[in-house]
Amino acid sequence: VGPCSHTGVMSVMPMFPVGSVLFPRGVLPLQVFEPRYRQLVADVLDGDRRFGVVLIERGSDVGGGDVRSNVGTLARMVQKGTLEDGRIILLNVGTERLRVAKWLDDDPYPQAEVESHPDSHPGRGLRTAVDGAAAVWRKYTALAVEMGAEPEDLNVQLPANPTEAAWELCVLAPLGPFDQQQLLEADDAAIRMDLLKRMLELRRSDLERLMRHRGEP
């Protein structure tokens, strides 16, 4: 059973701890080979195709014993394939934030009591915050292209809805998993955009310093 749409209502959810962060509107490909996660895939496909994704903060997802974040994302399986060696290939999309209230036994696979964890209601400042973060992201991306990166992101059109655009910027931003987790855990979309803007400004400054050093004799 998936989480309800109202915060505070608990549901038991199959969970997939991974080494990366899935945002709402994001895409997460997965390779499945462990027997416990094969069982998870079978059960999820027999149900509503939804499961929870959380970041592994320490340890490994192979064999258990990992330390997991308690704020994650509800995912939906949209494609499944099988390789010649038997590994299962999944394509999943993020739909909404969730919060883990209690981890349950990992037998037969990780499960948790979870609740929906929506952002606080966006204020009038969200559009401005999104535009500010988008401007810095475009400047960073243009500078990265100038230094040899692939230019595929430059022509991305952000959604007109500022809430959707905010998540899209989180997906596009070139950040590591722990910075991404900070963004995911921010409870207000405008605050999330201000945090993203600061992160991107730091990375742009790093690129500018690198370019200056390249130009030195």
Side-chain angles (χ1 to χ4, degrees):
V1 178
C4 298
S5 58
H6 300 290
T7 303
V9 179
M10 299 295 173
S11 299
V12 175
M13 176 67 62
M15 302 295 292
F16 210 124
V18 295
S20 56
V21 171
L22 175 64
F23 290 112
R25 297 185 61 85
V27 176
L28 177 68
L30 290 172
Q31 290 191 29
V32 178
F33 53 89
E34 279 192 86
R36 60 180 179 155
Y37 288 119
R38 289 177 180 275
Q39 183 62 53
L40 181 151
V41 170
D43 291 349
V44 168
L45 289 173
D46 281 343
D48 61 7
R49 290 179 169 254
R50 300 192 302 170
F51 63 102
V53 173
V54 293
L55 175 68
I56 297 173
E57 296 180 348
R58 292 194 304 277
S60 169
D61 60 334
V62 178
D66 49 320
V67 177
R68 305 160 183 170
S69 299
N70 283 330
V71 174
T73 300
L74 182 65
R76 181 169 57 88
M77 291 184 189
V78 294
Q79 289 184 19
K80 173 182 176 289
T82 305
L83 299 179
E84 290 184 1
D85 62 7
R87 283 176 295 164
I88 298 171
I89 304 298
L90 300 172
L91 189 64
N92 313 281
V93 295
T95 60
E96 64 177 287
R97 287 200 313 164
L98 59 77
R99 185 184 70 83
V100 174
K102 179 182 179 182
W103 284 99
L104 305 177
D105 192 358
D106 275 10
D107 185 20
Y109 45 72
Q111 299 179 77
E113 292 182 0
V114 304
E115 62 183 357
S116 182
H117 190 39
D119 284 348
S120 58
H121 294 294
R124 288 177 295 178
L126 179 56
R127 179 79 266 174
T128 300
V130 167
D131 290 345
V136 176
W137 169 74
R138 294 189 190 282
K139 289 177 182 177
Y140 171 90
T141 303
L143 189 58
V145 169
E146 188 177 343
M147 297 184 68
E150 293 295 326
E152 66 266 12
D153 286 343
L154 276 177
N155 296 321
V156 169
Q157 295 296 317
L158 295 175
N161 181 300
T163 300
E164 295 177 0
W167 283 124
E168 192 75 15
L169 282 170
C170 291
V171 171
L172 291 168
L175 302 173
F178 293 104
D179 284 341
Q180 291 177 325
Q181 186 66 26
Q182 284 189 60
L183 294 175
L184 185 66
E185 291 183 6
D187 285 335
D188 178 273
I191 292 174
R192 181 179 296 116
M193 287 298 93
D194 288 341
L195 178 59
L196 175 60
K197 181 179 177 181
R198 292 196 299 272
M199 290 177 174
L200 290 173
E201 284 172 339
L202 286 173
R203 280 154 182 77
R204 186 169 64 118
S205 296
D206 290 341
L207 281 185
E208 288 172 343
R209 279 196 299 271
L210 183 58
M211 286 190 74
R212 286 196 299 269
H213 289 164
R214 283 186 175 182
E216 292 175 355

